Amino acid sequence: MTEAVSLIIERMRTRPEFLAASKAPYAARGAVVVQARNRADGSSLVRCGFTATRKVGGAVVRNRAKRRLREAARAVLPTLAHPGYDYVFV
């Protein structure tokens, strides 16, 4: 059994943070792409960001998609996230 690690989860808000994470490896599962970047700073901080491209639809549809991504991340990140990583959900 693995030991529970106390994670601090924050939101990424600035463009340079998203651009740094976009250069990292990604995994596509269905309609969601997750980019994960190891910051290698040794902290227990996990940062996550959410983006929806204009391919998704109009503003209302994009905002709904981002709300759903945020809720899914809120449920999944505490158990699956690695400390010191940035995650971007597209």
Side-chain angles (χ1 to χ4, degrees), residues 9-85:
I9 300 173
E10 286 185 357
R11 292 265 312 271
M12 292 191 308
R13 299 187 188 273
T14 63
R15 182 170 168 77
E17 295 171 340
F18 280 88
L19 291 177
S22 72
K23 294 179 179 134
Y26 65 91
R29 300 289 184 260
V32 177
V33 176
V34 179
Q35 300 167 329
R37 176 179 85 104
N38 185 358
R39 290 191 318 273
D41 59 1
S43 72
S44 64
L45 177 67
V46 173
R47 296 188 309 181
C48 61
F50 307 92
T51 185
T53 64
R54 292 182 69 179
K55 293 178 190 177
V56 172
V60 173
V61 176
R62 285 194 306 273
N63 287 332
R64 183 181 306 126
K66 287 190 285 187
R67 281 196 304 270
R68 294 177 85 175
L69 281 174
R70 282 193 295 267
E71 186 57 35
R74 193 173 294 124
V76 171
L77 279 179
T79 57
L80 297 178
H82 298 288
Y85 273 71

